[in-house]
Amino acid sequence: MNKIKLCTLVIPPLLMLSGASQAEETGLAELLSAVDGNPRVTEGRADLRSAQAGLELATLQTAPRIRLSLDSDVAHSEDATRRAEVKFEKSLFDWGKAQASIDVAQARKEAKELSVLARTDELRRNVINQFAQGAAELEKVAVFERALEELGELEANMSRRVAQRISPETELRVVQSQIRQLQLLIRESMGQIRNAELALLQSTGLAVTEWALPLCSVGQSERELVTSAFDASSELKVQQAEIQVLQASLLRLEKSHLPELIGGVGLTGDLERMESDSRAYLSVQYEADWVGRNRAEYAEHQAKLDAALAAEQAIINQLLRDVGDLLNQYRTSRDLQPTYELLIEAQEQQVSSQNRRFKSGLSSWLDVLSAQEEVTRTRTALVQARATQCRSALLLDELTKAGQLDG
């Protein structure tokens, strides 16, 4: 099922960062692929290796143990002796304590695996946000430059009128002031593009060479999107894994005060008399919790479990809100675009008409300036609507793991 369709409009690159390692063409797909090399993801993989080692350690705790001891009497009522003892012991029955420890370690390992995915997903969403902002600002620069060209014609006409003493110089200065404002807007957009480039470089290690603003469509209903988001959310899975860790820890604590049956074989040697003795034995080990340490630890873990369950519900609520907000933004921005396009067409005709009337002396220069300002505002609003539609669709694609961004 084609859940989210993407149609890419390629925009020429505006800024290049020198010295950055990058591919021949670096667009959104390449940036998203490069997220795997981010230091936060690398750190998460190191944490995962630590958890894997912890699981191996917990598993090895069930292996037989060999104990060697050597002692010598310092004071003795008879002859002082030196003894060496070797014991080979194996836990025969522990009421599931060892397995509970393994389950805790296994749950921690799974939580770390999911944590790596959650970090990757968060970085991918950041990349989408920064890329959509940069691409939108690049289109705004084109809008402002087009407005500068159109105002340049008005400035030239006003300059001639001032030179011919038809119009006062103050009117020309008003037009020039509007031109300066557009130039400031271009500088602001260029600064936003630069910020987006730097943020993307920090996240991926790549500099953008191809800004592309996709025109996107979402083909799922809100219910389908929410269901897919619940199934795909790495953040929710991490929280559920943390809950499993705490549940396994509580089970381990419940079993920790139970006795343990140990079987073993021991060999004892008297180093003074060169005598030895061997034996096979069964022993029961029990550690009494006289001070209530186990109960306090259990209460602590239970409180953490309650907090984790509340956090899980908070994540579910946030996913509902995120999907609803993004879908609303997508639909609103999509539905506004046809209106903006029709309005721009009408406003451009108005600009042409006012220019002709101004040259013929039938309208004021203020009419031309006002018409130009209106069409520039609408063109900018159209650019922003397209960017919002694209960003919302791409983020929904990430939340639901529809996979369109990865081909």
Side-chain angles (χ1 to χ4, degrees):
M1 177 179 179
N2 192 5
K3 300 177 181 177
I4 299 178
K5 300 178 181 178
L6 308 178
C7 176
T8 302
L9 172 63
V10 177
I11 304 173
L14 180 65
L15 297 178
M16 292 288 294
L17 294 175
S18 61
S21 172
Q22 61 184 80
E24 190 174 312
E25 287 186 357
T26 305
L28 181 57
E30 290 75 21
L31 292 170
L32 291 172
S33 298
V35 161
D36 287 338
N38 186 276
R40 291 189 59 205
V41 178
T42 305
E43 179 188 6
R45 293 196 183 103
D47 290 339
L48 174 58
R49 292 196 298 272
S50 175
Q52 289 172 333
L55 175 58
E56 294 175 3
L57 180 61
T59 303
L60 292 174
Q61 294 298 320
T62 62
R65 297 185 294 272
I66 299 178
R67 295 180 178 178
L68 173 64
S69 63
L70 179 64
D71 64 81
S72 178
D73 291 339
V74 177
H76 198 276
S77 58
E78 298 179 0
D79 295 334
T81 60
R82 289 184 300 163
R83 290 181 300 271
E85 184 177 19
V86 179
K87 290 182 178 179
F88 180 85
E89 295 181 341
K90 177 72 170 69
S91 177
L92 301 178
F93 188 72
D94 64 356
W95 302 88
K97 286 191 292 185
Q99 185 59 47
S101 297
I102 293 174
D103 292 342
V104 171
Q106 178 66 37
R108 284 176 178 162
K109 173 180 172 292
E110 293 173 357
K112 293 300 183 182
E113 287 177 340
L114 293 168
S115 180
V116 173
L117 293 177
R119 293 185 185 194
T120 303
D121 290 344
E122 181 184 359
L123 287 166
R124 285 172 65 93
R125 290 193 294 269
N126 289 338
V127 166
I128 289 172
N129 280 322
Q130 294 295 335
F131 191 88
Q133 180 181 358
E137 293 298 330
L138 183 58
E139 285 203 60
K140 289 180 183 178
V141 168
V143 170
F144 298 145
E145 288 178 342
R146 180 176 179 181
L148 279 177
E149 292 178 2
E150 294 169 349
L151 281 181
E153 182 180 353
L154 178 60
E155 181 188 23
N157 290 332
M158 291 297 297
S159 296
R160 286 194 295 270
R161 291 172 68 92
V162 170
Q164 297 169 1
R165 301 183 182 277
I166 299 175
S167 298
E169 189 175 352
T170 55
E171 295 180 354
L172 173 61
R173 296 190 181 206
V174 172
V175 176
Q176 290 173 339
S177 175
Q178 183 64 26
I179 290 174
R180 300 295 181 273
Q181 290 181 16
L182 285 172
Q183 291 171 340
L184 287 175
L185 290 175
I186 290 176
R187 290 192 183 97
E188 289 178 1
S189 292
M190 295 284 284
Q192 293 294 329
I193 295 170
R194 177 68 173 180
N195 287 339
E197 282 190 321
L198 292 174
L200 291 170
L201 180 63
Q202 182 181 21
S203 297
T204 66
L206 299 179
V208 184
T209 62
E210 179 187 345
W211 289 101
L213 187 62
L215 304 176
C216 315
S217 64
V218 178
Q220 287 182 291
S221 67
E222 185 170 0
R223 180 184 294 273
E224 292 172 329
L225 289 170
V226 168
T227 301
S228 298
F230 284 161
D231 293 339
S233 174
S234 55
E235 185 180 5
L236 180 58
K237 291 176 181 178
V238 167
Q239 190 60 37
Q240 291 170 343
E242 292 294 339
I243 290 173
Q244 292 178 357
V245 170
L246 292 169
Q247 289 172 336
S249 298
L250 286 174
L251 182 61
R252 181 191 62 186
L253 289 171
E254 289 175 356
K255 296 178 179 295
S256 64
H257 68 283
L258 298 175
E260 181 177 358
L261 179 62
I262 296 176
V265 176
L267 176 64
T268 304
D270 188 327
L271 301 181
E272 297 291 342
R273 301 177 181 178
M274 301 303 293
E275 295 178 352
S276 62
D277 180 34
S278 61
R279 66 190 181 100
Y281 59 90
L282 292 174
S283 66
V284 176
Q285 293 185 2
Y286 176 73
E287 182 178 352
D289 185 17
W290 299 107
V291 296
R293 182 171 56 249
N294 188 72
R295 290 192 300 273
E297 190 175 359
Y298 188 91
E300 179 188 12
H301 278 71
Q302 183 62 58
K304 289 181 178 180
L305 177 59
D306 294 340
L309 290 170
E312 179 190 22
Q313 187 58 49
I315 292 173
I316 291 173
N317 294 341
Q318 188 62 48
L319 278 173
L320 286 169
R321 178 65 183 271
D322 289 345
V323 171
D325 285 350
L326 289 171
L327 188 59
N328 180 60
Q329 292 173 21
Y330 167 80
R331 289 172 174 171
T332 302
S333 57
R334 178 200 59 189
D335 295 343
L336 284 173
Q337 290 177 49
T339 302
Y340 285 144
E341 290 168 354
L342 291 174
L343 188 57
I344 288 171
E345 183 179 355
Q347 289 173 340
E348 287 176 346
Q349 293 176 359
Q350 180 70 9
V351 170
S352 299
S353 174
Q354 293 294 349
N355 272 319
R356 289 194 300 270
R357 289 173 60 83
F358 173 67
K359 292 175 182 178
S360 302
L362 299 177
S363 64
S364 167
W365 63 274
L366 284 173
D367 296 329
V368 179
L369 189 62
S370 177
Q372 180 57 52
E373 289 178 350
E374 289 178 1
V375 73
T376 299
R377 282 196 297 268
T378 308
R379 288 169 180 166
T380 305
L382 176 60
V383 167
Q384 190 59 54
R386 287 174 176 170
T388 301
Q389 178 191 0
C390 167
R391 170 186 167 276
S392 301
L394 295 179
L395 289 176
L396 283 171
D397 181 87
E398 274 298 300
L399 286 176
T400 59
K401 292 292 185 290
Q404 296 300 313
L405 285 173
D406 298 320

